[in-house]
Amino acid sequence: MGRLRYNRESFGYTVSFPDGRMGLYAHEVASLLVDGVSHEDIARYRLETIHIDTDFHLNAPLIVWIELTRKCNLRCRHCYVGAGEPMEGELSTEELCLLLEDLKGMKALSLVITGGEPTLHKDFAHILRYACELGFVVSIATNGLPLTQEGLDQLPGTYEDLRVNVSLDGAGQYNPLRGEVSFKQITDKLLLLKDNGILTAVMAALSSRNIDGMRKIFEWCVEHEIVFRTGLFSPLGRGGEGENRGFTLNPGDVEKASSLWLDETLFEMEMNKSIGACVAKIFDYTFELDYSTKRCKGGRSLAYVCANGDVYPCSICAATSTFKAGNLREKKFSEIWQDSFHEIRGFTWGDFKDCDRCELSRGSYFCTNRCPPLGLRYRGSPSACGALPVHKMILKKRTELLHQALGVS
């Protein structure tokens, strides 16, 4: 199952095991880092503490989102980048491949191939195959509609560290977020992927207009053994325009949203036992780094590249056009990573003074809303709370339900 991946750091090594587990290890582990080694074999070298400065960051990102194009066949109400038409001056296929080579050279761990709708890029299959040849853990974010058997035949379907994430957030004939997209259209695409032996997952945007149908989608995924993950609708990009803001969850949705999250989390934990390395597991690990370093992951363990070459710390920064670090036509990504994220890396959790008075910053809660771009977007300050009130209510309820399920007092 999979391969061992690692990168040298100032404190030692970041290590990603074939089963998807990750950890930080001392320099002394170097001679043991060969294919076949398990986390049990090198457990004595795992680091419990490391010394970090304010601008702490890994030598290479664990995840890089790469937009192939902003072109999209849909105009989704919640699209954080407002995709539809291509951006002016989008990167060429050659430039995208040079980016992949640069990321490989610095030992970036994983990629999310996104857009827009990435499968609409004329060289999508070529770029994807090259990313897999270079050995990245790869995830594709797609709305699923352009997928065909002919197209799948061009993909590296036997590559074990590839997953296709398909958006499915409507349980009827009409999708409130995406328009004329039916439940059957997308589930047929998911079954096509599964029939081709391609690991797949469902990504659902949870909103006030579709929450009542989400349980049906989850149950379908359980029946077909397909991972299901929800994300909360946020008023960013097209989601922040006009009546679209009304799709934000309401206080009355808290119980339904939280209980669904618990069920999907427990189901994914079970599914993960038979799934190796994937971007979802790596993304979960970046939250561990958030908590242990008391610093946001953006520009420290992940980054986002727009279709025109602009480089941001994360997707939220890209959505809000904040904390831009550079452009690939001016500097290589590896140079931008080392030299140009100073602004976002200047923030630590200690800068969010108002959080000291919030119950979610204490005890058993794990709040990741010390988020400079969202604080700036919602409250006008990068050191203000980045959560909407209903999102805080959901976090509190989720935690309570998880503790009950796990028997935590």
Side-chain angles (χ1 to χ4, degrees), residues 198-321:
I198 298 175
L199 190 64
T200 188
V202 165
M203 301 299 293
L206 205 57
S207 78
S208 62
R209 308 294 175 86
N210 68 359
I211 189 168
D212 290 331
M214 285 294 104
R215 180 65 60 175
K216 174 182 175 180
I217 297 175
F218 171 66
E219 291 172 352
W220 184 92
C221 288
V222 172
E223 178 185 354
H224 295 279
E225 298 185 319
I226 293 174
V227 169
F228 174 86
R229 274 197 175 196
T230 55
L232 304 181
F233 178 96
S234 294
L236 300 175
R238 198 176 284 127
E241 298 175 358
E243 65 178 14
N244 293 345
R245 291 193 295 269
F247 281 65
T248 304
L249 292 166
N250 301 311
D253 300 322
V254 169
E255 182 71 37
K256 286 181 284 190
S258 302
S259 61
L260 177 62
W261 172 85
L262 176 64
D263 290 344
E264 73 186 62
T265 299
L266 296 176
F267 173 61
E268 186 174 16
M269 288 171 62
E270 188 63 30
M271 289 287 292
N272 278 344
K273 294 176 182 178
S274 59
I275 295 172
C278 63
V279 171
K281 290 184 180 181
I282 298 168
F283 189 60
D284 287 345
Y285 181 70
T286 67
F287 285 102
E288 290 188 37
L289 290 179
D290 280 3
Y291 189 80
S292 59
T293 64
K294 302 296 187 288
R295 285 152 175 77
C296 175
K297 61 176 67 65
R300 289 191 169 91
S301 61
L302 53 84
Y304 190 101
V305 179
C306 295
N308 67 350
D310 285 342
V311 179
Y312 287 94
C314 65
S315 59
I316 296 173
C317 287
T320 56
S321 299

Side-chain angles (χ1 to χ4, degrees), residues 185-207:
Q185 277 180 291
I186 304 304
T187 53
D188 283 349
K189 301 294 185 178
L190 287 161
L191 294 176
L192 178 65
L193 286 163
K194 191 169 183 181
D195 288 344
N196 279 266
I198 298 175
L199 190 64
T200 188
V202 165
M203 301 299 293
L206 205 57
S207 78

Side-chain angles (χ1 to χ4, degrees), residues 7-288:
N7 202 9
R8 186 178 178 88
E9 308 286 352
S10 60
F11 54 78
Y13 288 87
T14 54
V15 180
S16 171
F17 295 95
D19 64 1
R21 300 193 201 188
M22 296 190 64
L24 308 181
Y25 292 83
H27 287 294
E28 290 77 10
V29 80
S31 62
L32 302 176
L33 294 176
V34 295
D35 280 336
V37 70
S38 70
H39 41 88
E40 289 91 352
D41 296 333
I42 59 174
R44 65 185 182 280
Y45 296 107
R46 182 160 182 153
L47 295 171
E48 299 297 329
T49 60
I50 59 174
H51 173 76
I52 58 175
D53 298 319
T54 297
D55 68 347
F56 166 78
H57 60 280
L58 300 177
N59 281 341
L62 298 180
I63 311 174
V64 181
W65 277 256
I66 302 177
E67 293 179 356
L68 299 192
T69 178
R70 284 282 175 91
K71 181 180 180 180
C72 190
N73 52 315
L74 298 178
R75 301 295 185 272
C76 300
R77 290 176 177 267
H78 64 302
C79 182
Y80 63 92
V81 294
E85 298 301 321
M87 295 183 81
E88 183 177 349
E90 292 193 342
L91 296 174
S92 67
T93 298
E94 181 182 6
E95 288 173 314
L96 287 165
C97 289
L98 287 173
L99 168 61
L100 296 180
E101 292 169 8
D102 188 31
L103 292 171
K104 174 65 175 178
M106 63 189 298
K107 290 195 170 183
L109 179 57
S110 70
L111 309 174
V112 178
I113 306 299
T114 186
E117 173 50 48
T119 63
L120 296 182
H121 190 284
K122 64 182 182 65
D123 292 322
F124 166 72
H126 168 72
I127 295 166
L128 176 62
R129 286 197 302 269
Y130 194 43
C132 295
E133 288 171 10
L134 291 174
F136 295 104
V137 178
V138 181
S139 175
I140 302 166
T142 175
N143 61 47
L145 290 176
L147 298 176
T148 63
Q149 184 60 58
E150 181 181 6
L152 294 184
D153 288 341
Q154 300 179 51
L155 304 187
T158 59
Y159 186 68
E160 57 191 341
D161 293 329
L162 169 66
R163 176 186 276 184
V164 178
N165 293 321
V166 179
S167 298
L168 175 55
D169 29 40
Q173 291 298 312
Y174 179 84
N175 189 313
L177 293 178
R178 301 179 188 275
E180 298 295 334
V181 180
S182 73
F183 174 77
K184 186 178 187 308
Q185 277 180 291
I186 304 304
T187 53
D188 283 349
K189 301 294 185 178
L190 287 161
L191 294 176
L192 178 65
L193 286 163
K194 191 169 183 181
D195 288 344
N196 279 266
I198 298 175
L199 190 64
T200 188
V202 165
M203 301 299 293
L206 205 57
S207 78
S208 62
R209 308 294 175 86
N210 68 359
I211 189 168
D212 290 331
M214 285 294 104
R215 180 65 60 175
K216 174 182 175 180
I217 297 175
F218 171 66
E219 291 172 352
W220 184 92
C221 288
V222 172
E223 178 185 354
H224 295 279
E225 298 185 319
I226 293 174
V227 169
F228 174 86
R229 274 197 175 196
T230 55
L232 304 181
F233 178 96
S234 294
L236 300 175
R238 198 176 284 127
E241 298 175 358
E243 65 178 14
N244 293 345
R245 291 193 295 269
F247 281 65
T248 304
L249 292 166
N250 301 311
D253 300 322
V254 169
E255 182 71 37
K256 286 181 284 190
S258 302
S259 61
L260 177 62
W261 172 85
L262 176 64
D263 290 344
E264 73 186 62
T265 299
L266 296 176
F267 173 61
E268 186 174 16
M269 288 171 62
E270 188 63 30
M271 289 287 292
N272 278 344
K273 294 176 182 178
S274 59
I275 295 172
C278 63
V279 171
K281 290 184 180 181
I282 298 168
F283 189 60
D284 287 345
Y285 181 70
T286 67
F287 285 102
E288 290 188 37

